Amino acid sequence: MEPNIYSINFQDSKEAEKNLEEYKGKYILIVNVASKCGLTPQYEGLKQIQDSYEKDLQVIGFPCNQFMGQEPGTDEEIQTFCKTKYDVNFPVMKKIEVNGSNTHPLYEYLKSEKTGILTEAIKWNFTKFLVDRDGNVIKRYSPQTEPSEIEEELKDREPGLWNFTADISTGVLQTDNVNSV
């Protein structure tokens, strides 16, 4: 049987076995993250799109320490950082490797589905992969791509899905996913 993205196991931060099966029917944004990187503030944007589209999108972070040692902490320290600094509301899994001989099978699969410019290798922290509702890897984003840019692309993919209302008196933007799964 040919592997698919839902059949690849990984561990959460407490080392429990997981896979992406529970997110079937949603878009999934997979990101290799790091806490001591210049791009670490992207956690804010990732949290925001998770909040806005929780019914139809799941963000998942995979910490990696392969880029200048920018994720040196233990899994427990990483979880504490994500919660206290950014109040992260999406799962941040057990630290993995995304390149080299110890590349995690999920990243082997992602890179085989969507290569980068000139190479398959992940070039830096916060490289992002978007998986559609059927488990197809549809796009690979560079580390510099802000989560808000991905949000705009999602709106273009399914224009009727994301509805917005704004309360002008409070400045609050509210989303209502009318076609939720």
Side-chain angles (χ1 to χ4, degrees):
M1 186 170 131
E2 192 172 312
N4 67 59
I5 199 155
Y6 298 119
S7 67
I8 302 169
N9 290 332
F10 50 86
Q11 293 181 328
D12 68 13
S13 64
K14 298 191 184 313
E15 299 187 358
E17 287 293 315
K18 307 277 287 176
N19 62 40
L20 298 174
E21 183 73 29
E22 69 184 281
Y23 307 116
K24 207 175 219 181
K26 288 185 170 191
Y27 283 94
I28 305 168
L29 185 62
I30 299 170
V31 187
N32 65 301
V33 295
S35 59
K36 298 188 182 309
C37 174
L39 299 173
T40 300
Q42 285 190 19
Y43 269 121
E44 291 173 3
L46 294 169
K47 179 186 183 311
Q48 182 177 355
I49 64 172
Q50 180 64 60
D51 281 344
S52 297
Y53 307 110
E54 66 184 297
K55 293 179 184 174
D56 293 289
L57 171 74
Q58 182 61 59
V59 176
I60 304 175
F62 286 90
C64 178
N65 194 39
Q66 289 186 286
F67 305 100
M68 293 184 64
Q70 294 182 343
E71 189 60 276
T74 65
D75 287 305
E76 185 178 330
E77 290 168 337
I78 293 165
Q79 295 299 315
T80 300
F81 170 83
C82 289
K83 194 66 183 155
T84 57
K85 178 78 173 162
Y86 292 101
D87 194 25
V88 167
N89 58 344
F90 55 85
V92 177
M93 300 301 172
K94 181 176 177 62
K95 193 188 307 186
I96 62 168
E97 290 189 12
V98 298
N99 289 324
S101 61
N102 293 321
T103 298
H104 190 280
L106 177 61
Y107 271 81
E108 289 285 355
Y109 182 83
L110 292 168
K111 294 187 304 182
S112 73
E113 292 293 304
K114 293 293 175 197
T115 60
I117 297 173
L118 304 177
T119 180
E120 268 190 12
I122 302 295
K123 292 184 182 79
W124 203 252
N125 302 308
F126 291 89
T127 297
K128 301 157 198 76
F129 290 88
L130 183 62
V131 177
D132 72 11
R133 296 175 183 277
D134 298 317
N136 302 304
V137 182
I138 55 176
K139 188 137 185 199
R140 177 175 172 161
Y141 298 93
S142 76
Q144 294 78 18
T145 302
E146 291 289 336
S148 59
E149 296 173 60
I150 299 169
E151 180 179 18
E152 289 303 313
E153 191 165 318
L154 282 169
K155 288 183 209 174
D156 290 342
R157 284 187 181 279
E158 292 193 37
L161 182 65
W162 323 104
N163 285 348
F164 302 91
T165 57
D167 182 339
I168 296 172
S169 65
T170 63
V172 172
L173 180 66
Q174 182 178 12
T175 63
D176 179 29
N177 297 18
V178 295
N179 295 332
S180 295
V181 214

